Amino acid sequence: MTTFIPNVHIKDGEYTKAIYSMIKEQRYSETIKVLIILLDFYPISRPCLSLLAHCYFYTQDFIASAQCYEKLVQLCPNESIYKLYHAQSLHQACMYQEAWTICSNIINQSNLEFKVKKLQAAIKYGQEDVVAAKNLVDQCPMDDVDTEINLGCLLYKEEQYEQALKKFVNALQIVGFKPHLSYNVALCYFKLKEYAASLKHIADIIEQGIREHPELGVGMTTEGIEVRSVGNTLTLHETALTEAFNLKAAIEYQLQNYESAKEALTDMPPRSEEELDAVTLHNQALINMDTKPSEGFEKLQFLLQQNPFPPETFANLLLLYCKYQYYDLAADVLAENVHLTYKYLTSYLYDFVDALITQQTSPEEAYRKFDDLGNKHMEILRKATKRVQEARLNHDDSAVKKAVNDYEEALERYVPVLMAQAKIYWELGNYTQVEKIFRKSVEFCNEHDIWKLNVAHTLFMQENKFKEATGFYEPIVRKRYNNILDVSAIVLANLCVSYIMTSQNAEAEGLMKKIEKEEQVVSREDQDKKLFHLCIVNLVIGTLYCSKGNYEFGISRVMKSLEPYNKKLGTDTWFYAKRCFLSLLEQLAKQLVVLKDTILQECIQFLEHCEVYGRDVVTVIEEPFDMQDIFSITPNGKQTVVYEARYLKALFLKLQMS
């Protein structure tokens, strides 16, 4: 018999040699195809089943591996090693109860006893039964490095990160560099918020992975090079590259370096979407949520149906539903997953989400809930402040560090509550009341960036406190003045308006020149990159002048803001530009303003330019889960800039003719 499979040709008498050669070369997928064919001819072949189980395990198809070992156990009931491998495969497939049952039935052989204990401990750890896992680990030899690592894992589970770190570092000193062990160290540093130390260990893992396994294609996707999937091989698992890049992305995300976080995810060895692990899928959803919300929600919903899934998935899905104002969906998820609510949501997070959902039906009740939650946090913050002061008086550096971390964590929990509370009055346009809410929290939040930014916006919106708003906006801009494009465009725009409204035109002009210069530098490096900072500043200033009745200057600013059209004309910029033109048309139709013919002609020319460059620019952004009305008679062509620009031009021409 001669077997032929694409890329594999084996002659009679050479099966053993060929199969072992392919396994040595880690060509597991090809080996599996050959073994499946052989198994059709020899369904109870022990060597064939054993090798097939081994290959399935190495390709991380643990269910198939477990099925092969189950057959081997039936063929050789006295071989306890097959029972152990069967249990290992089930454990890897997260079938913990089945794995535990098999472990309990394994004969206590001296050479397998401690291996079985380790596996049982791992099963209990997977089931989150820390006490039982600890009892089993304690029965293992204390001079075994695995025992030290397992104790470290248990300490990590109990959130004793400093003690866990000591265990992992000790194990690392005994066995030398091991990617997964180094990852455990990095993870502990991450939890302790020592990001520099964590990134150092991550860099070591990545460096070794690139050096020893260039075939894994690290960084190829980021560079824009098309590469085939490397698959979920055991080689990839052993390098800990996936875990390292996910942790790096998490650190960059925490530090608000969002582009670096995205890059970390694209740097990892390429795999197709169906091959991605749960953590990578979760992180992709989270980091790309601003640009691909529909995909993000789809991924998080999918993960919630898997077992297991990253513990953060449930809370993040709820918070993102609330962020995008899908309160009904958040309420449905809570109602359908009561068991997850108790397991994955802290009492604080549950109360916060509950208050957010209540906003939809009863803003008054939601405000009361936020107020109660806020008062609790203010009390926690006062106690935390007292602990920091006491630790400093005692000159206890470790106590100071812990107290400061506790204070910062409490503050990070308080700020979202405060903002959600203030948002209720913000949406009612009651900016004075919003300011009062922020003043109440000045004791704790006066150094918090988000608090300062929102105070600035609140003062700006009152239209009689531009000087005070400038005092809050300026430090935000000054902090990143050398990289001014990292500052939010609306902050720059509002600061320029505040300068103009307080007769500081020179400062406004200087800021705009700085933005223009930075945009020119970036454009020289990347000619295709769209930059909207100066555009938005001009749009806001133009809109301000239009709202004050000075349409001649205001409209000229709006038109200038969209030049060059191929880089500045977009869905959002057009939305704000057309509002100024509609307002102008209304005032002209009512004969409340008079415009020079030259300005009117400039408006028509501007709209003609928008026709040319706006053919592919949509005017309606599709919301996540927004089902298009199948009975809608509005064709998609009408939802483009070209259609709206022509319509506005027709109205201007009609006015001109009349």
Side-chain angles (χ1 to χ4, degrees):
M1 179 186 74
T2 301
T3 302
F4 179 76
I5 294 172
N7 302 322
V8 181
H9 192 127
I10 306 172
K11 294 179 182 177
D12 285 338
E14 295 183 0
Y15 279 92
T16 304
K17 179 184 175 183
I19 288 169
Y20 277 99
S21 295
M22 286 192 290
I23 289 173
K24 186 181 178 182
E25 293 165 8
Q26 298 185 3
R27 292 160 59 192
Y28 299 115
S29 299
E30 294 171 14
T31 311
I32 288 168
K33 290 175 184 176
V34 174
L35 290 168
I36 288 171
I37 291 172
L38 288 173
L39 207 60
D40 287 339
F41 291 99
Y42 311 104
I44 57 170
S45 167
R46 178 176 169 179
C48 195
L49 281 168
S50 179
L51 290 170
L52 188 58
H54 174 84
C55 291
Y56 275 134
F57 194 89
Y58 268 65
T59 54
Q60 298 199 27
D61 187 348
F62 301 116
I63 298 287
S65 179
Q67 289 168 351
C68 290
Y69 281 123
E70 188 177 10
K71 289 178 183 176
L72 282 165
V73 169
Q74 291 167 359
L75 285 171
C76 314
N78 295 324
E79 289 288 347
S80 296
I81 192 71
Y82 288 145
K83 294 178 184 177
L84 179 64
Y85 291 157
H86 184 202
Q88 279 180 341
S89 300
L90 290 169
H91 164 254
Q92 291 289 350
C94 300
M95 298 169 70
Y96 299 123
Q97 193 53 53
E98 293 87 342
W100 179 264
T101 304
I102 291 166
C103 284
S104 302
N105 295 331
I106 295 176
I107 300 166
N108 287 330
Q109 295 183 2
S110 57
N111 61 328
L112 291 181
E113 183 183 353
F114 293 125
K115 288 183 179 179
V116 172
K117 292 288 183 193
K118 286 180 191 177
L119 182 55
Q120 286 180 318
I123 291 166
K124 288 299 177 186
Y125 185 86
Q127 291 177 321
E128 298 186 3
D129 187 347
V130 178
V131 175
K134 177 78 165 61
N135 288 335
L136 287 160
V137 170
D138 287 340
Q139 294 173 38
C140 296
M142 296 310 291
D143 58 350
D144 185 351
V145 72
D146 286 346
T147 304
E148 189 81 351
I149 295 168
N150 289 339
L151 288 170
C153 292
L154 290 166
L155 287 165
Y156 179 89
K157 195 82 166 178
E158 293 170 341
E159 298 183 6
Q160 296 182 42
Y161 303 120
E162 288 184 359
Q163 297 302 316
L165 179 62
K166 287 177 183 176
K167 293 286 183 186
F168 292 137
V169 169
N170 188 38
L172 206 57
Q173 289 169 348
I174 295 168
V175 298
F177 180 82
K178 295 285 181 185
H180 277 280
L181 198 48
S182 200
Y183 169 75
N184 289 351
V185 172
L187 197 58
C188 288
Y189 278 124
F190 170 73
K191 287 292 186 179
L192 293 167
K193 296 188 176 180
E194 295 182 27
Y195 298 135
S198 184
L199 286 168
K200 178 186 175 298
H201 285 276
I202 290 168
D204 292 341
I205 296 167
I206 295 169
E207 190 180 327
Q208 174 157 319
I210 293 169
R211 188 173 60 250
E212 295 189 357
H213 298 283
E215 74 279 3
L216 292 177
V218 171
M220 295 291 190
T221 307
T222 305
E223 295 295 328
I225 302 168
E226 284 191 26
V227 285
R228 64 178 181 83
S229 165
V230 298
N232 282 318
T233 60
L234 205 63
T235 302
L236 177 61
H237 172 69
E238 286 169 350
T239 60
L241 283 170
T242 301
E243 293 86 345
F245 279 116
N246 272 315
L247 184 55
K248 185 179 180 183
I251 292 170
E252 298 294 359
Y253 190 81
Q254 289 281 61
L255 297 172
Q256 298 182 7
N257 300 328
Y258 301 121
E259 286 304 315
S260 299
K262 286 181 182 179
E263 196 174 297
L265 289 182
T266 54
D267 274 345
M268 68 170 64
R271 290 171 294 166
S272 54
E273 191 163 298
E274 61 271 16
E275 292 173 329
L276 294 178
D277 58 284
V279 176
T280 303
L281 206 62
H282 170 271
N283 289 348
Q284 280 188 355
L286 205 60
I287 288 171
N288 296 310
M289 187 57 79
D290 288 342
T291 53
K292 298 176 181 177
S294 299
E295 280 185 26
F297 282 119
E298 193 179 324
K299 287 173 181 176
L300 292 174
Q301 288 163 346
F302 169 78
L303 285 172
L304 210 59
Q305 297 161 14
Q306 306 307 303
N307 182 33
F309 57 80
E312 298 82 6
T313 307
F314 186 57
N316 285 337
L317 181 59
L318 288 170
L319 291 170
L320 287 165
Y321 274 150
C322 292
K323 178 184 175 181
Y324 284 88
Q325 298 187 356
Y326 293 114
Y327 299 113
D328 288 342
L329 290 173
D332 289 345
V333 170
L334 272 177
E336 291 165 7
N337 299 280
V338 177
H339 61 295
L340 298 180
T341 303
Y342 293 111
K343 189 174 181 181
Y344 294 114
L345 293 187
T346 61
S347 58
Y348 153 73
L349 205 50
Y350 176 80
D351 291 342
F352 180 62
V353 171
D354 180 49
L356 286 173
I357 293 169
T358 306
Q359 276 184 112
Q360 191 182 23
T361 51
S362 175
E364 298 85 0
E365 178 65 15
Y367 184 87
R368 187 192 63 75
K369 287 182 176 182
F370 284 130
D371 203 39
D372 290 344
L373 204 54
N375 289 334
K376 285 178 189 174
H377 275 80
M378 286 177 81
E379 190 58 38
I380 292 167
L381 284 165
R382 287 191 184 98
K383 288 177 180 176
T385 306
K386 189 178 177 183
R387 284 197 297 274
V388 171
Q389 290 169 346
E390 286 172 356
R392 282 177 178 158
L393 285 170
N394 295 331
H395 303 290
D396 187 340
D397 292 340
S398 60
V400 168
K401 184 180 172 184
K402 187 179 184 307
V404 169
N405 278 342
D406 290 345
Y407 177 85
E408 287 175 352
E409 285 175 10
L411 184 61
E412 289 304 320
R413 287 194 296 270
Y414 173 57
V415 169
V417 174
L418 179 70
M419 295 306 151
Q421 191 180 14
K423 186 171 179 278
I424 293 170
Y425 278 108
W426 177 278
E427 289 179 346
L428 295 170
N430 190 344
Y431 304 117
T432 308
Q433 187 61 35
V434 175
E435 186 184 348
K436 285 179 183 176
I437 291 168
F438 286 146
R439 284 190 185 280
K440 188 173 69 174
S441 59
V442 71
E443 175 188 353
F444 306 108
C445 302
N446 63 330
E447 293 299 320
H448 199 282
D449 289 343
I450 292 173
W451 183 86
K452 288 191 283 188
L453 177 63
N454 284 290
V455 169
H457 289 332
T458 304
L459 294 168
F460 179 85
M461 290 301 291
Q462 290 180 56
E463 296 187 0
N464 60 352
K465 294 184 177 180
F466 290 111
K467 190 173 182 181
E468 292 90 336
T470 303
F472 280 95
Y473 281 130
E474 277 183 333
I476 297 168
V477 174
R478 209 177 293 124
K479 191 175 177 181
R480 296 190 175 182
Y481 193 75
N482 293 330
N483 297 301
I484 203 161
L485 298 184
D486 290 343
V487 181
S488 168
I490 200 64
V491 170
L492 297 171
N494 287 357
L495 180 56
C496 282
V497 169
S498 299
Y499 280 145
I500 291 165
M501 297 305 289
T502 53
S503 304
Q504 300 180 68
N505 290 21
E507 283 81 354
E509 194 175 340
L511 183 58
M512 290 173 73
K513 282 182 179 177
K514 172 70 176 174
I515 298 166
E516 187 175 12
K517 187 180 175 183
E518 288 290 323
E519 285 195 355
Q520 286 171 354
V521 171
V522 174
S523 293
R524 280 197 292 270
E525 293 173 359
D526 184 358
Q527 293 182 354
D528 298 326
K529 188 169 184 179
K530 289 192 173 186
L531 300 164
F532 293 103
H533 278 67
L534 189 63
C535 167
I536 290 168
V537 171
N538 278 315
L539 265 176
V540 170
I541 293 171
T543 304
L544 170 72
Y545 276 96
C546 288
S547 69
K548 300 294 182 187
N550 188 347
Y551 283 97
E552 190 170 319
F553 182 77
I555 283 291
S556 67
R557 272 284 164 194
V558 171
M559 291 189 289
K560 180 179 169 58
S561 72
L562 294 184
E563 295 173 3
Y565 301 97
N566 62 326
K567 290 189 177 182
K568 306 292 185 183
L569 186 59
T571 303
D572 290 326
T573 52
W574 172 252
F575 175 78
Y576 290 104
K578 74 181 178 187
R579 286 173 58 166
C580 294
F581 281 95
L582 286 166
S583 173
L584 173 60
L585 281 165
E586 184 185 7
Q587 298 299 309
L588 287 168
K590 291 177 179 177
Q591 297 184 353
L592 295 174
V593 295
V594 178
L595 237 114
K596 293 177 185 175
D597 286 344
T598 52
I599 299 294
L600 208 58
Q601 197 57 40
E602 282 175 17
C603 289
I604 292 166
Q605 285 176 356
F606 167 79
L607 293 167
E608 285 173 351
H609 285 130
C610 290
E611 277 186 63
V612 175
Y613 292 97
R615 190 172 298 277
D616 299 321
V617 181
V618 294
T619 55
V620 178
I621 298 174
E622 185 182 340
E623 292 288 330
F625 311 118
D626 192 25
M627 298 296 290
Q628 290 191 354
D629 187 352
I630 57 171
F631 301 110
S632 174
I633 56 170
T634 308
N636 287 334
K638 287 189 176 181
Q639 295 179 351
T640 58
V641 169
V642 65
Y643 174 82
E644 292 188 354
R646 282 176 184 166
Y647 197 90
L648 288 172
K649 186 177 79 169
L651 292 173
F652 272 107
L653 288 169
K654 192 175 179 181
L655 275 171
Q656 196 178 39
M657 288 168 68
S658 63

